[in-house]
Amino acid sequence: MGLALSSSFLMAQSSQTPLYKNALAPIDARVKDLIGRMTLEEKVLQLSQSFLGINDNENNLVGAKTTASTASVGSMIYIPESVEMRNKIQKQAMEETRLGIPVLFAYDVIHGFRTIYPIGPAQACSWDLPLVEKAFSVAAQEARMSGIDWVFAPMIDIARDGRWGRISEGYGEDPYTTSRFAVAAVRGFQGEDNNFTSNHKVAACLKHYVGYGAEDGGRDYGYTELSRQTLWDTYLPPYEAAIKAGAATVMSSFNNISGIPATIHKYLLTEVLKEKWGFKGFVVSDWAAVEQLVNQNAAADRKDATRLSIQAGLDMDMTDGCYQENLQKLVEEGVVDVKYVDEALSRVLTLKFKLGLFEKPYTPVYKDAERILLPESRQIASKLAEESYVLLKNESGTLPLSAKKIAVIGPMVKNQKDLLGAWSGKGKSTDVETIWDGLQKEFGADVTLSYAAGCKLDGNDRKGFAEAVSLANQSEVVLLCLGEKAGWSGENASRSTIALPQIQIDLLTELSKAGKPIVLVLSSGRPIELGKIEHLCQSIIEIWQPGIAGGTPLAGILSGRINPSGKLCLTFPYSTGQIPTYYNERNRARRGNQGTYQDIPTDPLYTFAHGLSYTTYSYGELKSEVTNFKRNQTFKVTVPVTNSGDREGVETVHWFISDPVCSITRPKIELKSFERQSLKPGETKVFTFEVIPMRDLSFVNEDGERFLEKGVYYIQVKDKKLKIELTD
Ligand code: GLC
């Protein structure tokens, strides 16, 4: 098909300048021209990603070394902090290679680059999409100004097993929630119009495609039993939403999906992603996942792994050199058709042109003050932390604190590193405001704060107990700060239990003997087992891993200056043994406790969307514009909510639907909308759910086709249900 070439392009095109170097030419014309000039060897190098630096992902044990890197490589995971070095490598690519194709520099910017934000689940517990989008916009700005063009985020794996360390990276157990936050992250990273060249934007990467969070026992790099039906109704929706929002790339996952590793899953990588959804970006493997196909018994050797991967639709090979070593031979031997190489190459080059790397291959060297930890970036971190904290329990108004003598105890009180969480990029512990710092600033001279660590996060050293108990005896209330190390979640951090280490439980138990109210502050990357200890605490607040600015917001909530508004995006099981438990399970054949574990309570301890406030909200009746409706009819359902307490607060209303009879049984309820609004004392506001039946009430079958069946549906908010009926 002829390419429509503009007159300005024709004027700019001179015989000496190759078309691909003409910035006025259409990108597809530039790609076509460049591919036509490339040797097979050059093509293969563009589909290879190397790695430079010392791996800063403490759990990724296979990635400790730097792979051989050449400036002709398609992409480089760039760990060093030197922009000058990055530009030096780029200069080699632009000036010392035959065609001058820029390198795509990549890095894991998961919840911030240097300004580290709360971890994924915490972001979701804020239910504040615009604020999360701003956080990702800052992450993009800091990354791009530091020489990074492509980030390996957002991580959008649905997770329902807290034993899985990577539950700390995503947005929880629900497909709809994760879809909304995935889109917010893509918009923040790439800009609303996905125009990467404007105000420091980066290419996003949706990961890990797909179903990584469903691994047996929550153990990494493992097996996932996933039917097509489950893929479509639970794990694919966030990817579909974010692809439609323009996400530039996708990373395939390590897991074996019912017998076919995701790395070579042709149905998912090509038929669904590229053919059904029309995805124009490219797919990169996860770390050394191509060569690991041999471990997974899917390939005989690296060469076989290369063949399987490229033919399945895996466009770029991350760090194991399989493509660099084998792909040219496979094409020359006639085993792999060069069309696979050219298709992958076209996708990779298209992104490089879109990012403007041919015209602006180098990153200006900025001063730190221009580039990182800007005041407004810190403010976003503080606000997001504040909104992410979830007040799980608050008996007899223990919070906000009114005591004048507070024992501040626990291994988290002065902790910095672990509040950053896993995958903390270029974040530095010294950037972190501790809980202790926040308390010192918040509480005036009339309040005595006495500190004792009590114990370490793990180990068996109880020598600090006596001092802690003594402080408790001398104080009116105990603020006990417990939790997890950053390295206990993230990659390769699966744990056999989600309970706190025994030493921390013992400290709590000893302190409870002092008979003073205990406020438990929990910093963790996963839901923690509290079933057997929550009775020892009058109040419990989950602060997740808040990043650099968690201390002051927490102190503000403890003092009552801030009214907590966070609500859970993940169910807190009663105990590890109750896993998996999540809000949108399918109903069992029998009700009540029939079919549940008989040796523990039936219900989880804290459910999805749970979160307390210092005020109270009373919900009026649900009202719908229609009771009977047609499938192409949009209608609104509303609920009035009144702040019936004595202080302002922010309430998030979660709108669920249920379909009591469906040809494919559905989750008992499904979240389909949520809305946040602030309410003054006594104020009533109307919350609205605009129902588009095909979007909000339909279901999906194993072929990814949505369907909407006549009959009764329910709209549900809290315990209120409204019956509606589709009549056509
Ligand atoms: C790791 C992780 C992935 C990360 C990649 C690059 O193994 O699985 O999330 O983006 O390698 O560091």
Side-chain angles (χ1 to χ4, degrees):
M1 177 188 74
L3 294 161
L5 304 177
S6 67
S7 56
S8 55
F9 150 72
L10 291 172
M11 281 180 334
Q13 182 55 38
S14 68
S15 56
Q16 289 73 31
T17 316
L19 179 64
Y20 76 92
K21 290 196 174 180
N22 182 339
L24 295 176
I27 285 182
D28 48 8
R30 300 178 75 181
V31 168
K32 191 166 184 287
D33 176 65
L34 180 49
I35 290 179
R37 298 168 186 270
M38 294 173 73
T39 65
L40 181 55
E41 183 186 8
E42 288 164 335
K43 291 179 180 180
V44 167
L45 274 169
Q46 284 298 311
L47 306 184
S48 305
Q49 180 177 59
S50 68
F51 164 69
L52 183 66
I54 305 300
N55 188 10
D56 56 8
N57 166 12
E58 60 184 297
N59 293 337
N60 182 353
L61 307 181
V62 296
K65 64 186 187 307
T66 295
T67 50
S69 80
T70 151
S72 306
V73 75
S75 173
M76 181 181 285
I77 299 179
Y78 187 72
I79 306 287
E81 299 203 22
S82 162
V83 173
E84 293 85 349
M85 187 200 292
R86 179 257 187 224
N87 286 340
K88 188 162 169 277
I89 295 167
Q90 192 70 302
K91 195 166 185 320
Q92 288 172 352
M94 299 307 289
E95 298 179 7
E96 297 170 24
T97 63
R98 193 172 71 85
L99 295 166
I101 302 172
V103 174
L104 193 56
F105 291 90
Y107 186 58
D108 286 289
V109 183
I110 313 302
H111 53 110
F113 179 80
R114 172 66 187 272
T115 301
I116 301 303
Y117 291 105
I119 56 172
Q123 295 170 31
C125 288
S126 76
W127 302 96
D128 191 341
L129 292 164
L131 189 59
V132 167
E133 183 175 330
K134 279 186 190 158
F136 277 88
S137 183
V138 170
Q141 168 262 309
E142 293 189 347
R144 196 75 194 266
M145 290 174 81
S146 305
I148 299 300
D149 316 301
W150 177 31
V151 295
F152 298 134
M155 191 275 209
I156 56 176
D157 298 323
I158 306 290
R160 292 159 168 178
D161 185 339
R163 293 171 297 178
W164 188 47
R166 307 202 74 165
I167 198 169
S168 71
E169 299 175 43
Y171 293 94
E173 65 194 41
D174 175 56
Y176 176 78
T177 308
T178 301
S179 301
R180 296 296 303 276
F181 282 94
V183 171
V186 168
R187 288 165 56 96
F189 274 144
Q190 299 187 174
E192 285 174 46
D193 55 1
N194 296 311
N195 174 7
F196 307 109
T197 53
S198 66
N199 57 13
H200 309 307
K201 293 299 177 187
V202 292
C205 183
L206 307 176
K207 72 182 188 183
H208 306 79
Y209 186 70
V210 67
Y212 193 18
E215 286 170 310
D216 287 352
R219 292 186 298 275
D220 260 344
Y221 318 117
Y223 182 77
T224 48
E225 182 48 64
L226 288 170
S227 65
R228 290 272 173 97
Q229 180 60 39
T230 301
L231 282 170
W232 278 107
D233 67 33
T234 300
Y235 294 95
L236 288 171
Y239 288 90
E240 187 169 12
I243 294 290
K244 286 193 176 129
T249 67
V250 169
M251 182 187 298
S252 57
S253 52
F254 287 120
N255 51 301
N256 179 329
I257 302 173
S258 301
I260 302 176
T263 308
I264 54 173
H265 206 292
K266 189 175 180 77
Y267 170 71
L268 291 168
L269 295 178
T270 294
E271 292 176 45
V272 173
L273 197 53
K274 297 173 181 175
E275 292 170 0
K276 189 173 181 69
W277 291 344
F279 177 57
K280 299 294 180 222
F282 69 87
V283 181
V284 63
S285 72
D286 203 337
W287 195 290
V290 174
E291 78 173 357
Q292 287 164 11
L293 290 166
V294 178
N295 298 342
Q296 290 176 299
N297 310 123
D301 52 30
R302 287 165 57 90
K303 188 173 180 182
D304 195 25
T306 300
R307 172 183 64 80
L308 290 164
S309 301
I310 192 74
Q311 288 176 337
L314 182 78
D315 302 304
M316 184 180 280
D317 170 28
M318 183 187 286
T319 69
D320 59 24
C322 281
Y323 278 25
Q324 201 169 336
E325 178 190 294
N326 299 292
L327 192 47
Q328 182 173 345
K329 272 183 272 179
L330 285 163
V331 171
E332 286 163 350
E333 290 162 4
V335 174
V336 168
D337 189 315
V338 72
K339 73 177 183 183
Y340 290 106
V341 174
D342 289 346
E343 171 61 20
L345 180 60
S346 165
R347 291 168 180 269
V348 171
L349 294 177
T350 297
L351 181 59
K352 293 188 174 186
F353 282 117
K354 280 185 170 179
L355 280 162
L357 288 174
F358 282 81
E359 283 67 50
K360 293 185 178 172
Y362 307 113
T363 304
V365 180
Y366 297 96
K367 297 190 190 70
D368 281 2
E370 300 171 287
R371 183 174 62 92
I372 53 173
L373 295 168
L374 303 180
E376 57 271 32
S377 306
R378 289 174 181 274
Q379 180 49 37
I380 292 168
S382 180
K383 188 66 182 161
L384 191 48
E386 171 190 318
E387 294 183 358
S388 71
Y389 295 165
V390 185
L391 183 57
L392 296 172
K393 178 181 182 184
N394 192 27
E395 254 170 22
S396 38
T398 303
L399 288 180
L401 293 173
S402 54
K404 296 301 177 194
K405 295 176 76 176
I406 304 171
V408 185
I409 296 168
M412 273 298 165
V413 175
K414 296 190 174 180
N415 190 314
Q416 289 183 293
K417 174 180 182 302
D418 297 315
L419 294 188
L420 284 174
W423 294 106
S424 54
K426 299 304 175 192
K428 307 215 180 308
S429 301
T430 46
D431 297 339
V432 175
E433 181 194 40
T434 65
I435 292 172
W436 183 249
D437 294 345
L439 293 169
Q440 295 295 306
K441 288 177 216 163
E442 185 74 24
F443 289 92
D446 62 330
V447 175
T448 305
L449 299 169
S450 312
Y451 164 68
C455 66
K456 290 190 168 65
L457 286 170
D458 55 1
N460 296 306
D461 181 354
R462 300 162 64 99
K463 285 198 291 296
F465 280 24
E467 180 195 11
V469 171
S470 163
L471 279 191
N473 285 323
Q474 298 162 45
S475 304
E476 296 165 59
V477 67
V478 175
L479 184 62
L480 179 59
C481 303
L482 303 177
E484 292 193 302
K485 290 184 180 176
W488 292 354
S489 58
E491 182 176 0
N492 191 25
S494 303
R495 295 173 77 81
S496 64
T497 174
I498 59 171
L500 289 170
Q502 193 57 45
I503 189 77
Q504 295 189 43
I505 294 171
D506 291 351
L507 176 62
L508 167 57
T509 307
E510 285 309 304
L511 288 168
S512 68
K513 294 173 186 167
K516 303 292 174 63
I518 292 178
V519 173
L520 176 61
V521 174
L522 213 44
S523 171
S524 63
R526 54 167 53 84
I528 294 294
E529 174 181 303
L530 298 170
K532 300 190 183 80
I533 58 173
E534 65 82 28
H535 69 283
L536 299 174
C537 312
Q538 277 62 39
S539 300
I540 301 174
I541 183 164
E542 172 66 57
I543 67 168
W544 303 108
Q545 286 153 339
I548 62 167
T552 292
L554 173 63
I557 287 173
L558 295 171
S559 73
R561 172 172 56 83
I562 295 169
N563 187 2
S565 60
K567 295 192 172 187
L568 291 179
C569 69
L570 277 165
T571 298
F572 271 54
Y574 171 82
S575 64
T576 304
Q578 205 176 56
I579 291 171
T581 179
Y582 45 97
Y583 91 89
N584 44 354
E585 296 179 2
R586 282 172 164 87
N587 276 320
R588 286 188 298 279
R590 295 196 179 174
R591 299 288 192 221
N593 71 346
Q594 292 198 51
T596 61
Y597 297 110
Q598 298 304 305
D599 58 338
I600 58 172
T602 291
D603 296 330
L605 190 61
Y606 303 116
T607 61
F608 178 86
H610 170 72
L612 301 177
S613 168
Y614 291 151
T615 190
T616 51
Y617 299 102
S618 47
Y619 282 55
E621 292 314 308
L622 298 181
K623 283 197 181 65
S624 173
E625 288 175 326
V626 294
T627 300
N628 297 335
F629 61 98
K630 304 279 187 202
R631 64 187 54 241
N632 59 4
Q633 190 177 355
T634 299
F635 58 93
K636 288 179 181 165
V637 185
T638 59
V639 63
V641 178
T642 302
N643 178 344
S644 45
D646 58 4
R647 54 174 300 166
E648 183 161 0
V650 173
E651 177 68 341
T652 298
V653 169
H654 290 86
W655 291 92
F656 299 92
I657 65 110
S658 60
D659 178 357
V661 179
C662 183
S663 53
I664 299 174
T665 61
R666 302 177 65 163
K668 53 190 167 188
I669 57 171
E670 299 166 63
L671 182 69
K672 292 295 180 183
S673 181
F674 58 85
E675 184 183 1
R676 273 177 105 247
Q677 294 193 65
S678 66
L679 289 159
K680 292 184 177 57
E683 186 177 21
T684 297
K685 283 188 178 174
V686 174
F687 288 72
T688 303
F689 172 23
E690 183 171 62
V691 180
I692 301 175
M694 202 55 202
R695 179 192 69 186
D696 300 319
L697 300 176
S698 68
F699 201 46
V700 66
N701 66 17
E702 62 182 357
D703 299 321
E705 307 307 325
R706 300 207 73 82
F707 63 93
L708 185 57
E709 292 176 337
K710 274 177 71 170
V712 169
Y713 292 84
Y714 289 93
I715 306 287
Q716 185 171 336
V717 170
K718 288 199 181 278
D719 55 355
K720 296 173 182 294
K721 289 177 77 168
L722 186 71
K723 184 176 175 180
I724 55 177
E725 184 160 359
L726 175 63
T727 55
D728 68 341

